[in-house]
Amino acid sequence: MPRRKISCCGNSAPKMERWENRVAVVTGASSGIGAQIAKDLAKAGMVVIGLARRVERLDEVRSTLPEHQRLRFHGIKCDVMDDDEVAKTFSRIAEKFGGIDVLVNNAGVYDPSMKLFQEGNSSKISETINTNITGFISCTREAFKSMKKRSFPGHIINMNSISGHHVSNLPTDYYFNVYAATKHAITALTETERQEFAKERLGIKVSSISPGIVQTALSPHFSKEALRDFPHLFPQDVSQAVLYVLGTPAHVQIQELTIKPIRVNS
């Protein structure tokens, strides 16, 4: 008897057609996960605005795309820790591109070599909090304002972490310091967003994506060599999750998507 093909996600795969030529803002788009998300959204047919503090790296990301996708990628310098700069940048995007339809809150910082109570860490602690929480709130506020003004059922995707749900015991020489606390804040803020958006009755979705350790080329703590003995994810794994939650039907909201690596035999 032939086996019947069963789909865990219904009869149709996630579709991105509804987002073609729509505007997606990706924060922290100059490297790692953010760069991969920006490139994959451009590949999927969206107009992508990549935000980062180092615009030259955004230019590098853009240069890696095929020419027809390169035309859909626009890099803008923006420090999400600066509330005024965020407001001006999002206003500029809305004026030039017609509005923000999707926001991927990806900007975040983490130094796993720093202890929470070591001396001289105040500036790094402040940077982590201001980027991971305050910047997150500022960008969400501006994106929501654009969606509400146009009564557009947009989508806000928050890059969370498994450490935003559980504080694990890290290996020697790795420390969570204030990072896990900021990600726990993202978990709470995501639910707050969901409740507030529901009251607006605009159909705006909010999703949290919580990956485990991700290998990135620009971080010595999460490089291929550093993670040689640890199961880990890759930026494209997280980017595919973004495409998945965006591709769900209008009546389906993925509120939390957790991604963990497993060890496989090479």
Side-chain angles (χ1 to χ4, degrees):
M1 182 178 179
R3 292 185 178 181
R4 183 165 59 112
K5 186 176 181 180
I6 299 175
S7 171
C8 67
C9 303
N11 295 325
S12 60
K15 303 293 184 182
M16 287 292 292
E17 286 85 353
R18 67 184 289 250
W19 297 111
E20 189 169 352
N21 295 321
R22 288 292 184 178
V23 176
V25 174
V26 182
T27 67
S30 62
S31 63
I33 295 171
Q36 188 65 52
I37 292 171
K39 291 191 290 186
D40 284 347
L41 291 180
K43 181 179 179 180
M46 297 194 73
V47 176
V48 179
I49 317 300
L51 304 184
R53 288 182 290 184
R54 293 168 291 190
V55 71
E56 68 277 2
R57 286 193 172 175
L58 291 171
D59 292 338
E60 291 174 8
V61 172
R62 185 175 183 271
S63 69
T64 65
L65 291 168
E67 184 175 358
H68 66 287
Q69 295 174 21
R70 201 178 304 160
L71 296 174
R72 292 198 290 267
F73 182 91
H74 307 269
I76 298 179
K77 182 181 182 298
C78 181
D79 184 350
V80 300
M81 292 191 293
D82 187 328
D83 191 68
D84 289 338
E85 186 172 342
V86 168
K88 290 177 182 177
T89 299
F90 276 71
S91 178
R92 173 184 170 192
I93 293 169
E95 182 178 348
K96 183 175 181 179
F97 297 96
I100 295 92
D101 303 313
V102 170
L103 169 66
V104 182
N105 270 316
N106 171 75
V109 295
Y110 173 38
D111 182 357
S113 67
M114 179 180 68
K115 297 178 182 179
L116 181 60
F117 300 109
Q118 74 182 44
E119 293 185 18
N121 67 358
S122 295
S123 61
K124 283 191 175 182
I125 292 291
S126 295
E127 181 185 13
T128 304
I129 293 172
N130 290 335
T131 301
N132 297 6
I133 301 178
T134 308
F136 164 95
I137 294 171
S138 298
C139 292
T140 301
R141 180 193 63 227
E142 297 302 319
F144 171 74
K145 182 167 67 175
S146 173
M147 294 172 191
K148 183 176 181 178
K149 181 179 180 180
R150 297 172 294 125
S151 297
F152 182 77
H155 201 145
I156 294 178
I157 300 174
N158 301 326
M159 297 311 304
N160 201 334
S161 166
I162 58 171
S163 63
H165 305 275
H166 174 73
V167 182
S168 304
N169 188 16
L170 292 177
T172 304
D173 298 329
Y174 281 77
Y175 305 95
F176 271 128
N177 51 76
V178 76
Y179 177 79
T182 65
K183 290 303 181 180
H184 271 68
I186 296 305
T187 299
L189 287 167
T190 298
E191 177 58 18
T192 301
E193 285 178 40
R194 188 195 65 78
Q195 293 181 19
E196 291 193 4
F197 293 167
K199 292 175 182 177
E200 296 287 340
R201 299 183 180 277
L202 296 172
I204 298 173
K205 298 183 186 182
V206 57
S207 301
S208 164
I209 297 179
S210 300
I213 296 176
V214 181
Q215 178 187 308
T216 59
L218 295 180
S219 172
H221 305 289
F222 303 113
S223 65
K224 181 178 181 180
E225 293 73 22
L227 298 179
R228 183 177 57 250
D229 299 324
F230 297 97
H232 55 272
L233 302 167
F234 299 91
Q236 56 266 35
D237 300 323
V238 184
S239 181
Q240 289 302 304
V242 170
L243 294 179
Y244 171 70
V245 299
L246 279 175
T248 53
H251 69 285
V252 176
Q253 176 174 240
I254 305 296
Q255 292 183 203
E256 172 61 38
L257 182 58
T258 303
I259 317 170
K260 291 186 178 182
I262 60 172
R263 192 180 300 277
V264 295
N265 295 326
S266 57

